[in-house]
Amino acid sequence: MGENLRWYLRQFYPYRWIIFLALLGAILEGVAYSGLSFVLKQLVDKVLVEKNFNLLKLSAGALIGLGLLKQVGFLTSELLYKYAVTKISATLRVKVYSKLVNLPLEEYQKLPQGEWVGRITNDIRSFKDYSESFGIKVFRELFTALFLTAVLLYFDWKLFLLFLFVTPFLSGAFKFFGSKRKKYSRIYQEKFALFLNYISNLLENFENVKFLKRGFVNFLTKEKVLKLFKAEYKLTLYSATYLSVIELLGYLFASVIILYGGYRVVSGELSAGTFVAFIGTLFLLYNSLQALQRTAINYRALQPVIERLREVLEKFPSEKGGNVTFKGIKTALEVKELSFPSQSRVLEEVNFSIPKGAKVFVKGPSGGGKSTLLKLLAGLYRSYEGKILYDRVELRDFSIKSFRSKVFYLSQNSAVFNDTVRNNLLIANPNATEKELHLALKLARAEFVLSLPKGLDTVVGGGGVQISGGQKQRIALARLFVTNPEIIFLDEATSALDFPTEREVLKNILNFHGGKTLFFVSHRWELEKYFDIVLEVKEKTVRVIT
């Protein structure tokens, strides 16, 4: 048993009793299918040949009974199995999300955003779709095939042996088309993730795209759509061709069996009822074998999806911290010989010290390393060389949870979620009172929220009230006033505000969090005068100006 299959089966273990009941349903369905063959045999031999009207009524009743039995089995197996698959898919989506948010920032940035979106959306959807076309159908068709095989052997073992000659051909077709399906399933998943990333980029820059050369943008879009189409079409092509080849083989061998079986009926060696029932059962068996092979091929297509999910859950590392509890800065933050990253340095052998409660203005040219420096000090980048010491304790020795509980970090990309304004504030402090929320909005100059249709309960973002970039930043900044951090990192978090508003919000921050350590990145150097220390980040170094 391969690793992927073992991993796949482990996902079903918590639902083993549900799966057991689903298997019982599959057995009932197989029994009902097999019973149809006996009804057909009696119908030809006893009813049509011997003109037995009473048996005709019994046959009709048996047919209804078997039909009901089949539907009971089908609904039991189908509904219970799909319930388990849906629960597993939901659990996997939560696990992938949890893994994603616990990735080190360096690992997250190795793949484009669309790739991560694809892993948590399209891969989980594909897992669910393929699982529903695989799983219980294997057992349903397997039980049906076993029961029908027993019936065929009971009817006539010589005709059954003739049917076995088709098996090697079915096996060869499965091997060839299964490998192709697996290959193009992986290619499709990868192409879809790239396409999703491209579309995400277009939508994120929707207004800017309108002023770009539309013809060239359309050319790039069509090129990526074409690549996705080719991968998807190849997947469809091999699936359809496989079904056609299998069906053609079925007709070929059915004609051979009809010739041989018909000859034996004419010669009196076999009854007409047995022969007709054998042919009917044979077609049912052949359909079950086709279905078994289709589900096996679907598992081949499922394997690349499993591999991609396992890669996220098992191969990507999670953030790791130490065991020391961070309680805030008591004396100073010291940076010694700090270099990052290991290749293509942005910062190199940086040294400085910041006392507790200092207000630090960080300036420098675009791309000089200001944002990188804040991410390092906030513990987002952890693969640095040198030391970042909080009260002489290395940053990586603190537990991540305790450190982040004392830190507020906000970048230029305001994290305002498609939800109510209230929830967008409570996400920073779920225990904040109504009074504290209103005060936070006032200090962040986000009083406009109170004039929205439902005030704090207004949904903002997609599907809700559309707000400007500056309004988003003010809502995000309001979170700072419902929390009580020891250290604050603001990386151009006020860049979308006009200067008077930015200056007023900054003054509110300095007053409200007077004794806290603040790092503030901005290109508006006029704000330097409000700070104790200036850090100039330039040419891989950091210069301290007091």
Side-chain angles (χ1 to χ4, degrees), residues 340-358:
F340 181 85
S342 56
Q343 313 245 333
S344 303
R345 302 263 198 222
V346 176
L347 298 171
E348 190 166 20
E349 297 182 0
V350 171
N351 294 276
F352 62 83
S353 178
I354 303 295
K356 175 187 177 179

Side-chain angles (χ1 to χ4, degrees), residues 9 71 81 83 90 190 216 334 340 346 377 422 435 471:
L9 293 177
Q71 292 310 311
Y81 176 72
Y83 170 81
E190 293 170 352
F216 191 70
E334 297 175 85
F340 181 85
V346 176
L377 299 180
R422 183 185 303 278
K435 183 178 179 181
Q471 289 174 320

Side-chain angles (χ1 to χ4, degrees), residues 87 91 172 203 262 309 322 359 526:
K87 287 286 288 184
T91 301
L203 296 179
L309 289 173
K359 305 299 181 283
E526 305 97 313

